Amino acid sequence: MNKLGFGFLRLPLVDGQIDFDTVNTMVDTYLAAGGRVFDTAYTYSDGDSERAIGKALSSRHPRESYILTNKLSGNFFKT
């Protein structure tokens, strides 16, 4: 597994919205350089990170070409 991953915590914005053209270029460049690991979480950008990764990665690249990690914070679980 690669030592570096692509984190979707902070993404480029234009007028307060995710700049999908730039995100697509970033994802394509990372994959072309041999990267495979992507990371997101529900809380990143109020859920927009997950939607962005869906548009930039899962709808444009074969599933076997990447590893996707996602996290839920503890407040989603009852104890």
Side-chain angles (χ1 to χ4, degrees), residues 1 31 35-40 53-54 56-70:
M1 180 183 294
L31 287 168
R36 293 192 62 215
V37 180
F38 292 84
D39 173 73
T40 189
I53 212 164
L57 183 64
S58 64
S59 67
R60 298 175 55 245
H61 296 279
R63 181 60 184 97
E64 62 276 1
S65 69
Y66 60 87
I67 298 168
L68 178 60
T69 63
N70 199 350

Side-chain angles (χ1 to χ4, degrees), residues 2 13 35 45 47 49 51 63:
N2 295 1
L13 303 176
S45 303
S49 173
R51 286 184 281 284
R63 181 60 184 97

Side-chain angles (χ1 to χ4, degrees), residues 14-42:
V14 172
D15 298 324
Q17 302 295 315
I18 293 174
D19 179 357
F20 287 104
D21 290 337
T22 301
V23 171
N24 287 343
T25 299
M26 293 166 62
V27 166
D28 295 347
T29 301
Y30 176 72
L31 287 168
R36 293 192 62 215
V37 180
F38 292 84
D39 173 73
T40 189
Y42 177 77

Side-chain angles (χ1 to χ4, degrees), residues 6-9 38-44 49-50 68-77:
F6 188 132
F8 266 58
L9 173 60
F38 292 84
D39 173 73
T40 189
Y42 177 77
T43 57
Y44 293 178
S49 173
E50 290 176 322
L68 178 60
T69 63
N70 199 350
K71 300 171 288 300
L72 283 175
S73 61
N75 62 342
F76 285 92
F77 302 97

